[in-house]
Amino acid sequence: MHSMAGCAARIDPFHVMPEQVTNKSRRKFNFLDSIEKPTEWFIRLCGWSSIIGIAAIFLFIFKEAAPMLPRLDWLTFFTSPRWIPNPAPGNPASFGALALLAGTFTTTFIALIIAVPVGLGAAVYISEFAKGKVKETLKVVIELLAAIPSIVWGFIGLMVLGPLIKTVFTAAPGSWWGHVMVILHLASAETGAAQGTNLLTGGVILALMSVPVIVSLSEDALRAVPDSFREAALALGANPWETVRRVLFPAARNGLLAACMLGMGRAVGETMAVLLATGHNNRIPAALTDPVRTMTATIAAEMGETVFGDPHYRVLFILGIVLFVITCSINVASDLIIKGVKKANKA
Amino acid sequence: MNTAPVSNPFAPTQFERRKFRRANLNKWIMFGFCAVLVIPLIAILVDIFVKAAPVLSLDYLWLNPANKGKEGGLWAPLVGTFYLVIGSLIFVAPVGILAAIYLNEYAKEGILNRVIGIAVTSLAGVPSIVHGLFGLGAFVLVMLPAVNSVIANPNDRATKWQAGLLTASLTVAVMNLPVIIASAREALGGVPQSFREACWNLGATRWQTIRTIVLPNSLSGILTGVILTISRAAGETAPILFTGVTFFKFVADTGWEKVFPYNPGEPFMAMSMHLNIISNQISQMPEGMKYGSAAVLIGLILFVNSFAIILRVWLRGRKRW
Amino acid sequence: MIHGKPHIEFRDVCAFYGSKQVLRNVTFTVPRHSVIGVIGPANSGKTTMLKTINRTLDFIGGARFTGQVLIDGENVADFRDPNELRRRIGMVFPLPVGLPLTIYENVAYAPRRRGVTAKNELDEIVERCLRQSVLWDEVKDRLQMLGTRLSGGQQQRLTLARALSLSPEILCLDEFSIAIDPVTTMRIEDVLKELRKSMTIVLVTNLVQQARRLADNTLFLWRGEVIELSPTEIAFSDKPKDKRTYDYVNGIFG
Ligand SMILES: Nc1ncnc2c1ncn2[C@@H]1O[C@H](COP(=O)(O)OP(=O)(O)OP(=O)(O)O)[C@@H](O)[C@H]1O
Ligand SMILES: [Mg+2]
């Protein structure tokens, strides 16, 4: 009757030896087990590292900027485009960052106008339409796009895109193209773009840099929409495009918004690419091909020339604080939006 | 076709056909967006490599730059970038991986966990130039004097450590911390919870479970994240601008010194900085040299990244559950 | 061995997930070397009850329990190292889990963590446990295969083998047979009849007949409350203590 009677059991399966296994004294020493407590404390400490890091960043930048905070003319800082940190002898320095703020925001704006539709479109194509090899290839390309360092993007802007844009936006004086450009604010002079590195070049480069962020995060958001939604929509006779527009976009709305915001965060904080590609000219742009200058590029270009501790040095740190606050708010806000989605999906 | 008075009831109506055409069109538009990304990227890369081709050679990698980079090769900046990557990895890899372990394996849902999550996202959003400012304020201005007060001979300026590999590595490490945390966390999250529970039911401690089941099964995913960090560290410029990189530093042409040219307390050269300077700050720079260093930097990054891609494909092929 | 004392004793145990109460004043005892069958409809808190015994409820955020669970008279809440407790209790949950290790290492996992390193000793444990869980004949030639590559039912028996690998004094089985075919289930039931000579078995099951075949006592849990705890013959007779038990056992519940 007993099923195991047949096998010649070398080991009696019911021979019990509880003491053998659980007896504490027989336990062999294991180094990796013995360091459990200290390891756990170390792990915990590392867990806090990001809090320590972010606090330290704020603290140290604040520390360098602090002596200047009460002395800075904040009104000028935010409303004047006069950025004259090293005036001719006898004249007062002027720290008006308006043009820098304008430079940062106009380039970011141009970048988003390009990157949001392209990024969302590419994400939808990759996640909903592309199959097999095409999908894999596109994903790899997006990843490579994200991997290209910002200095290389700057180089591309300076050497490849800039000359191209200069050629397109150049007109003979008095020609119709010159008129059109002035009327449409494509260029501020009738002769067209003064130089290849300008707002448009910087914007396009920044767009290419934020697209991978937007694509990969949007794709995550779309993938998070349960398949049952798609199936339900298709069962009701919607074609794939209607499914995307009427079902997926609403369902993934917050995730897509967060993706665009993070793309914007990347564009605002980008440094080396805009340093090389925007023309580095401190003025409020009046047309699309005017050279501009961003806050990040200003810090990168001028910090090396400052004297430690002088007002110019400290004002650059203040610019850093402004950037820090802007990008952190963008990131935290998008994080909250994404978390909100997760909670709603769970409920 | 008009012979049958009763047409097929399942044939698409005019309206449906139009809708279908529009849907198809939309699909192609979205494909177009992808093409907008892929084609220029390839065109640009081809352009750069073609223009770089005349200077590319093994000597170009092996020789030190000469005459402000107008002649010679890229050896010194390449070595500097290599040590920068290694240096930053030494700091960030253990801390980041352990932080991910904490977040994924130890932290309970709660306010602290939430704060850490927000800290990671904010850290990821800090602009690279702000990291540079931080490195300047924290490592160069505060840490270095402290280090020097211990190790340097106050009467001999030469023994003092300056802003260099150490400070730059630390800055890049802080910058890459959220990257490595996020990717390691994803890898750890890929290990099903049921494995952990099974181990806990057997009386294995959390640490034993992590050590024997969780880590071995997420190691390759973690490694992928580390590789991506490498490629990021290799290309960064802004964070090292004020924290130790320099445009020119003499590096011996032969011998031991050529391979270990920099000590941690010395400014160093880096590929990204080299490209930055030669591409727009030195007049009469030969085009070939500019494109050459851009091509080498891109090649380096693509080379490192392809490892990550290969690793991931290989990983998918040998799933263990 | 102290024969007078019950092996497992629940005293007024209430369990909560957040604010939701899942167990209500559960009180019962299990004598040493007996089999207790726990039956009850879905969501009645059977699994939760097992999780209080080996304190894996600790791992679930927001979950807690009050009252006392005594193992050999010792309150589980007083164990300084709950892992010590867990090693004394073999636990098999309904979903089969093969660890991503070889079959051999799956079974040797817990003993290794206990510091058993001798090859022959491990061989012996592995063979004994695989035989006890009726898996040995199927896998003896491929012990180096990944445990996760086994079929669902095989993985479930592997889970059982793992639970037995530390020769626990208490074995808790939570619907262990849902992934296993009837023939193999019967063979495992035979094994359980043997095992009860050396361990106390808590058998949670949806198959009331399984409880009837194996259990000495049967506990009927309903919405977190103990409705009935009586010897199996009585629980399955026409006149159990509570009418609801009769209804549930005979499938006229509701
Ligand atoms: N991790 C958890 N978090 C919150 N609630 C839970 C959790 N696990 C179980 N519950 C709830 O506790 C109640 C009892 O669950 P339990 O798993 O103990 O029931 P059960 O008797 O084992 O049911 P079944 O027969 O279906 O396995 C259920 O209402 C369930 O929703
Ligand atoms: Mg259950």
Side-chain angles (χ1 to χ4, degrees), chain A residues 1-4 7-18 20-24 26-28 30 33, chain C residues 84 87 111 113-117 121 123-125 127-128 131-132 134 137 165-167 187 190-191 194-195 198:
Chain A
M1 153 91 222
H2 192 265
S3 50
M4 244 171 272
C7 25
R10 184 168 56 82
I11 291 167
D12 174 10
F14 302 111
H15 171 70
V16 191
M17 36 174 189
Q20 248 185 355
V21 182
T22 43
N23 191 348
K24 232 178 179 167
R26 278 193 71 263
R27 201 170 157 182
K28 271 222 184 100
N30 180 323
D33 281 346
Chain C
E84 200 59 49
R87 286 179 206 121
R113 301 285 84 73
R114 293 297 293 145
V116 179
T117 46
E121 208 172 325
D123 285 350
E124 216 167 288
I125 293 174
E127 181 170 351
R128 172 176 59 83
R131 280 188 192 283
Q132 285 175 344
V134 200
D137 292 334
S165 64
L166 288 177
S167 304
R187 289 174 59 191
D190 289 341
V191 174
E194 288 292 325
L195 281 175
S198 57

Short mmCIF file of all heavy atoms in Angstrom, two decimals, chain A residues 1-4 7-18 20-24 26-28 30 33, chain C residues 84 87 111 113-117 121 123-125 127-128 131-132 134 137 165-167 187 190-191 194-195 198:
data_model
loop_
_atom_site.label_atom_id
_atom_site.label_comp_id
_atom_site.label_asym_id
_atom_site.label_seq_id
_atom_site.Cartn_x
_atom_site.Cartn_y
_atom_site.Cartn_z
N MET A 1 0.84 -1.20 0.00
CA MET A 1 0.00 0.00 0.00
C MET A 1 0.87 1.25 0.00
O MET A 1 0.70 2.17 -0.77
CB MET A 1 -0.91 -0.07 1.25
CG MET A 1 -1.37 1.28 1.77
SD MET A 1 -2.95 1.78 1.02
CE MET A 1 -2.65 3.48 0.73
N HIS A 2 1.90 1.20 0.86
CA HIS A 2 2.74 2.39 0.91
C HIS A 2 3.55 2.55 -0.37
O HIS A 2 4.23 1.64 -0.80
CB HIS A 2 3.66 2.32 2.13
CG HIS A 2 4.32 3.63 2.38
ND1 HIS A 2 5.55 3.93 1.91
CD2 HIS A 2 3.87 4.73 3.02
CE1 HIS A 2 5.86 5.17 2.27
NE2 HIS A 2 4.85 5.67 2.95
N SER A 3 3.45 3.70 -0.94
CA SER A 3 3.96 3.88 -2.28
C SER A 3 5.47 3.78 -2.35
O SER A 3 6.02 3.58 -3.42
CB SER A 3 3.51 5.24 -2.80
OG SER A 3 3.83 6.20 -1.84
N MET A 4 6.13 3.99 -1.25
CA MET A 4 7.58 4.02 -1.35
C MET A 4 8.21 2.69 -0.99
O MET A 4 9.42 2.56 -0.98
CB MET A 4 8.13 5.09 -0.43
CG MET A 4 8.80 6.18 -1.21
SD MET A 4 9.19 7.47 -0.11
CE MET A 4 7.72 8.38 -0.17
N CYS A 7 10.84 1.23 -3.62
CA CYS A 7 12.21 1.66 -3.88
C CYS A 7 13.12 1.22 -2.74
O CYS A 7 12.78 1.28 -1.57
CB CYS A 7 12.31 3.16 -4.09
SG CYS A 7 11.00 4.09 -3.31
N ALA A 8 14.30 0.76 -3.15
CA ALA A 8 15.25 0.34 -2.14
C ALA A 8 15.82 1.58 -1.48
O ALA A 8 16.75 2.21 -1.97
CB ALA A 8 16.36 -0.47 -2.80
N ALA A 9 15.22 1.96 -0.40
CA ALA A 9 15.58 3.24 0.22
C ALA A 9 16.86 3.10 1.03
O ALA A 9 16.90 2.37 2.02
CB ALA A 9 14.45 3.72 1.09
N ARG A 10 17.88 3.77 0.53
CA ARG A 10 19.12 3.80 1.30
C ARG A 10 18.87 4.63 2.56
O ARG A 10 19.40 4.41 3.62
CB ARG A 10 20.22 4.43 0.47
CG ARG A 10 21.58 4.43 1.13
CD ARG A 10 22.64 4.81 0.12
NE ARG A 10 22.35 6.10 -0.53
CZ ARG A 10 22.66 7.25 0.03
NH1 ARG A 10 23.24 7.30 1.20
NH2 ARG A 10 22.39 8.38 -0.59
N ILE A 11 18.01 5.64 2.35
CA ILE A 11 17.71 6.53 3.47
C ILE A 11 16.27 6.35 3.85
O ILE A 11 15.39 6.40 3.00
CB ILE A 11 17.96 7.99 3.05
CG1 ILE A 11 19.46 8.19 2.88
CG2 ILE A 11 17.38 8.95 4.06
CD1 ILE A 11 19.77 9.45 2.18
N ASP A 12 16.03 6.10 5.11
CA ASP A 12 14.66 6.01 5.56
C ASP A 12 14.09 7.42 5.62
O ASP A 12 14.56 8.24 6.41
CB ASP A 12 14.63 5.36 6.94
CG ASP A 12 13.22 5.39 7.52
OD1 ASP A 12 12.30 5.73 6.77
OD2 ASP A 12 13.08 5.07 8.70
N PRO A 13 13.11 7.72 4.78
CA PRO A 13 12.62 9.10 4.73
C PRO A 13 12.00 9.55 6.05
O PRO A 13 11.84 10.73 6.27
CB PRO A 13 11.59 9.08 3.61
CG PRO A 13 11.32 7.67 3.32
CD PRO A 13 12.45 6.87 3.82
N PHE A 14 11.68 8.61 6.90
CA PHE A 14 11.03 9.04 8.13
C PHE A 14 11.95 8.99 9.33
O PHE A 14 11.52 9.13 10.46
CB PHE A 14 9.77 8.20 8.35
CG PHE A 14 8.86 8.33 7.17
CD1 PHE A 14 8.63 7.28 6.32
CD2 PHE A 14 8.30 9.56 6.89
CE1 PHE A 14 7.84 7.44 5.20
CE2 PHE A 14 7.51 9.72 5.77
CZ PHE A 14 7.27 8.67 4.92
N HIS A 15 13.20 8.74 9.00
CA HIS A 15 14.16 8.82 10.08
C HIS A 15 14.32 10.30 10.46
O HIS A 15 14.71 11.13 9.63
CB HIS A 15 15.49 8.25 9.64
CG HIS A 15 16.59 8.49 10.62
ND1 HIS A 15 16.62 7.85 11.84
CD2 HIS A 15 17.64 9.32 10.59
CE1 HIS A 15 17.68 8.29 12.50
NE2 HIS A 15 18.32 9.17 11.77
N VAL A 16 14.02 10.63 11.66
CA VAL A 16 14.02 12.04 12.05
C VAL A 16 15.29 12.39 12.79
O VAL A 16 15.77 11.60 13.60
CB VAL A 16 12.81 12.35 12.94
CG1 VAL A 16 12.67 13.84 13.10
CG2 VAL A 16 11.58 11.75 12.34
N MET A 17 15.82 13.51 12.43
CA MET A 17 17.03 13.94 13.14
C MET A 17 16.95 15.43 13.41
O MET A 17 17.75 16.19 12.89
CB MET A 17 18.26 13.58 12.33
CG MET A 17 18.01 13.74 10.84
SD MET A 17 19.47 13.50 9.88
CE MET A 17 18.87 14.00 8.30
N PRO A 18 15.97 15.83 14.16
CA PRO A 18 15.80 17.27 14.36
C PRO A 18 17.00 17.89 15.06
O PRO A 18 17.46 18.97 14.67
CB PRO A 18 14.54 17.38 15.22
CG PRO A 18 14.31 16.04 15.81
CD PRO A 18 15.02 15.05 14.95
N GLN A 20 20.00 17.11 14.91
CA GLN A 20 21.16 17.23 14.04
C GLN A 20 21.22 18.57 13.33
O GLN A 20 22.25 19.19 13.23
CB GLN A 20 21.09 16.13 12.98
CG GLN A 20 22.18 15.12 13.18
CD GLN A 20 22.16 14.12 12.07
OE1 GLN A 20 21.28 14.11 11.22
NE2 GLN A 20 23.14 13.25 12.09
N VAL A 21 20.09 18.99 12.82
CA VAL A 21 20.11 20.19 12.00
C VAL A 21 19.99 21.45 12.83
O VAL A 21 20.64 22.44 12.56
CB VAL A 21 18.98 20.13 10.95
CG1 VAL A 21 19.05 21.35 10.07
CG2 VAL A 21 19.12 18.87 10.14
N THR A 22 19.14 21.40 13.85
CA THR A 22 18.86 22.64 14.55
C THR A 22 19.80 22.89 15.72
O THR A 22 19.80 23.97 16.28
CB THR A 22 17.42 22.65 15.06
OG1 THR A 22 17.13 21.38 15.62
CG2 THR A 22 16.46 22.96 13.94
N ASN A 23 20.57 21.87 16.08
CA ASN A 23 21.46 22.05 17.22
C ASN A 23 22.40 23.23 16.99
O ASN A 23 23.14 23.28 16.03
CB ASN A 23 22.27 20.77 17.42
CG ASN A 23 23.01 20.79 18.73
OD1 ASN A 23 23.10 21.84 19.36
ND2 ASN A 23 23.52 19.65 19.12
N LYS A 24 22.35 24.15 17.92
CA LYS A 24 23.08 25.39 17.73
C LYS A 24 24.59 25.19 17.76
O LYS A 24 25.33 25.82 17.02
CB LYS A 24 22.69 26.40 18.81
CG LYS A 24 22.29 27.72 18.18
CD LYS A 24 21.85 28.68 19.21
CE LYS A 24 21.50 29.97 18.51
NZ LYS A 24 20.77 30.87 19.38
N ARG A 26 26.42 22.98 16.69
CA ARG A 26 27.07 22.45 15.50
C ARG A 26 27.23 23.49 14.40
O ARG A 26 27.85 23.25 13.39
CB ARG A 26 26.28 21.27 14.94
CG ARG A 26 26.57 19.97 15.66
CD ARG A 26 26.03 18.80 14.90
NE ARG A 26 26.78 18.54 13.68
CZ ARG A 26 26.43 18.96 12.49
NH1 ARG A 26 25.36 19.70 12.35
NH2 ARG A 26 27.15 18.65 11.43
N ARG A 27 26.64 24.63 14.63
CA ARG A 27 26.59 25.63 13.58
C ARG A 27 27.99 26.13 13.22
O ARG A 27 28.73 26.56 14.08
CB ARG A 27 25.75 26.79 14.07
CG ARG A 27 25.25 27.58 12.93
CD ARG A 27 24.26 28.57 13.39
NE ARG A 27 24.24 29.60 12.39
CZ ARG A 27 23.49 30.67 12.48
NH1 ARG A 27 22.74 30.86 13.51
NH2 ARG A 27 23.52 31.55 11.53
N LYS A 28 28.31 26.06 11.95
CA LYS A 28 29.63 26.53 11.52
C LYS A 28 29.64 28.03 11.39
O LYS A 28 28.65 28.65 11.05
CB LYS A 28 29.97 25.89 10.17
CG LYS A 28 30.67 24.57 10.29
CD LYS A 28 31.81 24.46 9.27
CE LYS A 28 32.46 23.11 9.33
NZ LYS A 28 32.01 22.19 8.29
N ASN A 30 30.08 31.45 9.73
CA ASN A 30 30.04 31.96 8.36
C ASN A 30 30.32 33.45 8.39
O ASN A 30 29.56 34.22 8.99
CB ASN A 30 28.67 31.67 7.74
CG ASN A 30 28.58 32.17 6.32
OD1 ASN A 30 29.13 33.21 5.98
ND2 ASN A 30 27.88 31.43 5.48
N ASP A 33 27.58 35.80 7.21
CA ASP A 33 26.46 35.91 8.13
C ASP A 33 26.83 36.76 9.33
O ASP A 33 26.00 37.48 9.88
CB ASP A 33 26.03 34.52 8.61
CG ASP A 33 25.19 33.81 7.56
OD1 ASP A 33 24.76 34.50 6.63
OD2 ASP A 33 24.99 32.60 7.69
N GLU C 84 14.75 32.12 14.38
CA GLU C 84 14.89 30.90 15.16
C GLU C 84 13.56 30.16 15.18
O GLU C 84 13.48 28.95 14.99
CB GLU C 84 15.32 31.30 16.59
CG GLU C 84 15.96 30.19 17.37
CD GLU C 84 17.21 29.69 16.67
OE1 GLU C 84 18.07 30.52 16.25
OE2 GLU C 84 17.31 28.47 16.52
N ARG C 87 12.61 28.62 11.77
CA ARG C 87 13.32 27.39 11.43
C ARG C 87 12.65 26.18 12.07
O ARG C 87 12.82 25.06 11.61
CB ARG C 87 14.77 27.48 11.90
CG ARG C 87 15.58 28.40 11.02
CD ARG C 87 17.01 28.51 11.49
NE ARG C 87 17.54 29.78 11.06
CZ ARG C 87 18.01 30.70 11.86
NH1 ARG C 87 18.04 30.50 13.17
NH2 ARG C 87 18.45 31.84 11.38
N PRO C 111 19.33 24.29 5.34
CA PRO C 111 20.43 23.71 6.11
C PRO C 111 21.75 24.46 5.91
O PRO C 111 22.49 24.69 6.86
CB PRO C 111 20.53 22.28 5.56
CG PRO C 111 19.18 21.98 5.05
CD PRO C 111 18.62 23.29 4.56
N ARG C 113 22.12 27.60 5.30
CA ARG C 113 22.06 28.85 6.08
C ARG C 113 22.27 28.55 7.56
O ARG C 113 22.65 29.41 8.32
CB ARG C 113 20.72 29.56 5.88
CG ARG C 113 20.39 29.93 4.44
CD ARG C 113 21.20 31.13 3.95
NE ARG C 113 22.51 30.78 3.45
CZ ARG C 113 22.75 30.16 2.30
NH1 ARG C 113 21.76 29.79 1.53
NH2 ARG C 113 23.98 29.89 1.93
N ARG C 114 21.97 27.28 7.97
CA ARG C 114 22.19 26.90 9.35
C ARG C 114 23.62 26.47 9.59
O ARG C 114 23.97 26.05 10.68
CB ARG C 114 21.26 25.74 9.73
CG ARG C 114 19.81 26.06 9.78
CD ARG C 114 19.55 27.09 10.84
NE ARG C 114 19.79 26.53 12.17
CZ ARG C 114 20.29 27.23 13.17
NH1 ARG C 114 20.63 28.47 12.98
NH2 ARG C 114 20.46 26.68 14.35
N GLY C 115 24.43 26.50 8.56
CA GLY C 115 25.83 26.17 8.75
C GLY C 115 26.17 24.72 8.50
O GLY C 115 27.25 24.26 8.84
N VAL C 116 25.25 23.96 7.89
CA VAL C 116 25.59 22.59 7.52
C VAL C 116 26.37 22.65 6.21
O VAL C 116 25.86 23.16 5.21
CB VAL C 116 24.32 21.74 7.33
CG1 VAL C 116 24.68 20.32 6.92
CG2 VAL C 116 23.49 21.74 8.59
N THR C 117 27.59 22.16 6.19
CA THR C 117 28.37 22.25 4.96
C THR C 117 28.83 20.89 4.47
O THR C 117 29.21 20.76 3.31
CB THR C 117 29.60 23.15 5.16
OG1 THR C 117 30.21 22.76 6.38
CG2 THR C 117 29.21 24.61 5.20
N GLU C 121 26.20 14.98 4.55
CA GLU C 121 25.05 15.34 5.37
C GLU C 121 23.97 16.02 4.52
O GLU C 121 22.78 15.72 4.62
CB GLU C 121 25.52 16.30 6.47
CG GLU C 121 24.71 16.26 7.73
CD GLU C 121 25.36 17.10 8.80
OE1 GLU C 121 26.62 17.14 8.85
OE2 GLU C 121 24.63 17.75 9.55
N ASP C 123 23.61 15.72 1.26
CA ASP C 123 23.06 14.70 0.36
C ASP C 123 21.93 13.96 1.04
O ASP C 123 20.86 13.72 0.47
CB ASP C 123 24.15 13.70 -0.04
CG ASP C 123 25.09 14.28 -1.05
OD1 ASP C 123 24.78 15.38 -1.57
OD2 ASP C 123 26.13 13.67 -1.32
N GLU C 124 22.20 13.62 2.30
CA GLU C 124 21.23 12.85 3.05
C GLU C 124 19.95 13.65 3.24
O GLU C 124 18.84 13.15 3.02
CB GLU C 124 21.84 12.52 4.41
CG GLU C 124 21.49 11.19 4.96
CD GLU C 124 22.41 10.88 6.13
OE1 GLU C 124 23.62 10.61 5.91
OE2 GLU C 124 21.94 10.99 7.26
N ILE C 125 20.10 14.92 3.63
CA ILE C 125 18.93 15.76 3.85
C ILE C 125 18.14 15.90 2.56
O ILE C 125 16.91 15.75 2.54
CB ILE C 125 19.36 17.15 4.37
CG1 ILE C 125 19.95 17.03 5.76
CG2 ILE C 125 18.17 18.10 4.39
CD1 ILE C 125 20.53 18.32 6.29
N GLU C 127 18.02 13.99 -0.08
CA GLU C 127 17.32 12.78 -0.50
C GLU C 127 16.12 12.51 0.41
O GLU C 127 15.02 12.21 -0.07
CB GLU C 127 18.27 11.57 -0.48
CG GLU C 127 17.55 10.31 -0.93
CD GLU C 127 18.49 9.15 -1.18
OE1 GLU C 127 19.71 9.36 -1.18
OE2 GLU C 127 17.98 8.04 -1.39
N ARG C 128 16.31 12.66 1.71
CA ARG C 128 15.21 12.40 2.63
C ARG C 128 14.01 13.31 2.33
O ARG C 128 12.88 12.85 2.21
CB ARG C 128 15.68 12.62 4.08
CG ARG C 128 14.56 12.56 5.10
CD ARG C 128 15.08 12.70 6.51
NE ARG C 128 15.79 13.95 6.74
CZ ARG C 128 15.20 15.10 7.01
NH1 ARG C 128 13.89 15.17 7.07
NH2 ARG C 128 15.91 16.19 7.21
N ARG C 131 12.29 12.54 -0.93
CA ARG C 131 11.47 11.33 -0.80
C ARG C 131 10.19 11.63 -0.03
O ARG C 131 9.11 11.19 -0.41
CB ARG C 131 12.25 10.24 -0.05
CG ARG C 131 13.23 9.50 -0.92
CD ARG C 131 13.81 8.33 -0.14
NE ARG C 131 14.95 7.74 -0.82
CZ ARG C 131 14.85 6.94 -1.88
NH1 ARG C 131 13.66 6.63 -2.35
NH2 ARG C 131 15.92 6.45 -2.46
N GLN C 132 10.33 12.39 1.03
CA GLN C 132 9.15 12.71 1.84
C GLN C 132 8.12 13.49 1.03
O GLN C 132 6.93 13.38 1.25
CB GLN C 132 9.56 13.51 3.07
CG GLN C 132 10.23 12.66 4.13
CD GLN C 132 10.73 13.47 5.29
OE1 GLN C 132 10.84 14.67 5.20
NE2 GLN C 132 11.02 12.80 6.39
N VAL C 134 7.65 13.12 -2.12
CA VAL C 134 7.29 12.31 -3.27
C VAL C 134 7.80 12.91 -4.58
O VAL C 134 7.12 12.93 -5.59
CB VAL C 134 5.76 12.10 -3.35
CG1 VAL C 134 5.44 10.89 -4.23
CG2 VAL C 134 5.14 11.89 -2.00
N ASP C 137 11.77 10.34 -7.02
CA ASP C 137 11.85 9.49 -8.20
C ASP C 137 11.86 10.31 -9.49
O ASP C 137 12.47 9.92 -10.48
CB ASP C 137 10.68 8.50 -8.22
CG ASP C 137 10.82 7.49 -7.10
OD1 ASP C 137 11.98 7.26 -6.68
OD2 ASP C 137 9.80 6.97 -6.62
N SER C 165 13.19 20.51 5.20
CA SER C 165 14.64 20.33 5.22
C SER C 165 15.27 20.62 6.57
O SER C 165 16.38 20.18 6.83
CB SER C 165 15.29 21.22 4.15
OG SER C 165 15.07 22.58 4.46
N LEU C 166 14.60 21.34 7.43
CA LEU C 166 15.18 21.59 8.75
C LEU C 166 14.55 20.68 9.79
O LEU C 166 14.66 20.93 10.98
CB LEU C 166 14.99 23.05 9.15
CG LEU C 166 15.85 24.07 8.39
CD1 LEU C 166 15.51 25.47 8.81
CD2 LEU C 166 17.32 23.79 8.62
N SER C 167 13.87 19.61 9.36
CA SER C 167 13.15 18.73 10.26
C SER C 167 12.35 19.52 11.28
O SER C 167 12.60 19.44 12.48
CB SER C 167 14.11 17.80 11.00
OG SER C 167 14.88 17.10 10.08
N ARG C 187 -0.51 10.22 -2.43
CA ARG C 187 0.78 9.71 -1.94
C ARG C 187 1.36 10.64 -0.88
O ARG C 187 1.93 10.20 0.11
CB ARG C 187 1.75 9.56 -3.11
CG ARG C 187 1.36 8.39 -4.02
CD ARG C 187 2.21 8.32 -5.25
NE ARG C 187 3.64 8.16 -4.94
CZ ARG C 187 4.60 8.30 -5.83
NH1 ARG C 187 4.29 8.59 -7.08
NH2 ARG C 187 5.85 8.13 -5.48
N ASP C 190 -0.27 10.06 2.35
CA ASP C 190 0.31 8.92 3.05
C ASP C 190 1.55 9.33 3.82
O ASP C 190 1.78 8.92 4.96
CB ASP C 190 0.67 7.82 2.05
CG ASP C 190 -0.58 7.16 1.47
OD1 ASP C 190 -1.64 7.30 2.12
OD2 ASP C 190 -0.48 6.54 0.40
N VAL C 191 2.37 10.16 3.15
CA VAL C 191 3.60 10.61 3.80
C VAL C 191 3.25 11.41 5.05
O VAL C 191 3.87 11.26 6.11
CB VAL C 191 4.44 11.46 2.84
CG1 VAL C 191 5.62 12.05 3.55
CG2 VAL C 191 4.87 10.63 1.65
N GLU C 194 2.68 9.46 7.99
CA GLU C 194 3.91 9.01 8.63
C GLU C 194 4.56 10.16 9.42
O GLU C 194 5.04 9.98 10.53
CB GLU C 194 4.90 8.52 7.58
CG GLU C 194 4.53 7.21 6.94
CD GLU C 194 4.63 6.06 7.94
OE1 GLU C 194 5.52 6.11 8.81
OE2 GLU C 194 3.79 5.13 7.85
N LEU C 195 4.55 11.33 8.78
CA LEU C 195 5.28 12.46 9.38
C LEU C 195 4.68 12.87 10.72
O LEU C 195 5.39 13.36 11.59
CB LEU C 195 5.26 13.67 8.43
CG LEU C 195 6.23 13.64 7.28
CD1 LEU C 195 6.00 14.83 6.37
CD2 LEU C 195 7.67 13.63 7.78
N SER C 198 6.34 12.40 13.98
CA SER C 198 7.45 13.22 14.48
C SER C 198 7.13 14.71 14.47
O SER C 198 7.93 15.51 14.93
CB SER C 198 8.70 12.98 13.63
OG SER C 198 8.40 13.27 12.29
#
